[in-house]
Amino acid sequence: MVAPKSPYGLIQEEFQHDPCKIFVVCIFCNLTRRTESEPFMREFFNRWPTAHDAAQADHDQVSDLIKTLGLADRRAKTLIRMSQDYLSKIWHDDPRILYGIGEYAYAAYQIFCKHQWAQIPEPNDGALKKYWKWINNKE
């Protein structure tokens, strides 16, 4: 099963097959518009394509990659530590136990990875909210 493609073209739709990438997308899009963060996110995926790769990434290299995006040190720490937690913790029931994963990423995971869009409350994030309303026929 996959979450249907929406008229909104959320980036999470593209990466729904990989929960770790959903979390990375959310880390990049948190406090930053998708249009600004997407090129950096895609380069991150090119350099560190798996959770294992990201968990072993060098903080300074990640920070240098995203320095013009803002919050570089914080995001680099979050990306690496979340990837380490992703590999080492039992989190599938609740990814909020992963470092840096909050309500936004949790809602994205429920919608795009678990396909439980009808079982969660309306998300706070604007783009996820549009998708949630669309898929639940609440527009």
Side-chain angles (χ1 to χ4, degrees):
M1 178 179 210
V2 296
K5 185 165 175 55
S6 75
Y8 307 112
L10 271 64
I11 194 147
Q12 290 92 338
E13 294 174 53
E14 180 181 343
F15 295 107
Q16 64 182 288
H17 63 281
D18 187 337
C20 189
K21 287 189 175 170
I22 289 289
F23 301 145
V24 170
V25 164
C26 292
I27 291 166
F28 270 96
C29 290
N30 191 23
L31 302 174
T32 308
R33 282 181 271 160
R34 174 188 173 176
T35 55
E36 293 174 15
S37 65
E38 187 171 356
F40 297 96
M41 176 190 353
R42 292 197 182 275
E43 183 57 30
F44 180 87
F45 288 146
N46 286 336
R47 293 185 191 189
W48 301 283
T50 68
H52 186 263
D53 296 325
Q56 296 180 6
D58 177 77
H59 178 275
D60 292 338
Q61 288 180 356
V62 176
S63 185
D64 284 347
L65 168 68
I66 61 178
K67 66 183 169 196
T68 60
L69 187 59
L71 307 169
D73 285 331
R74 185 174 115 190
R75 280 189 224 252
K77 177 183 177 181
T78 301
L79 289 163
I80 293 167
R81 193 153 160 212
M82 181 282 298
S83 299
Q84 292 167 346
D85 283 0
Y86 181 88
L87 296 171
S88 65
K89 291 185 176 182
I90 298 171
W91 57 266
H92 295 280
D93 289 335
D94 190 352
R96 292 172 290 194
I97 70 166
L98 303 176
Y99 186 84
I101 300 303
E103 294 303 317
Y104 168 44
Y106 174 74
Y109 174 73
Q110 293 298 110
I111 293 168
F112 295 103
C113 299
K114 300 284 279 185
H115 309 110
Q116 295 181 347
W117 46 79
Q119 291 85 4
I120 65 167
E122 183 177 322
N124 290 326
D125 175 75
L128 283 183
K129 183 182 291 199
K130 285 181 183 178
Y131 187 95
W132 182 88
K133 285 181 176 181
W134 173 79
I135 200 163
N136 285 305
N137 297 311
K138 295 185 182 220
E139 289 187 297

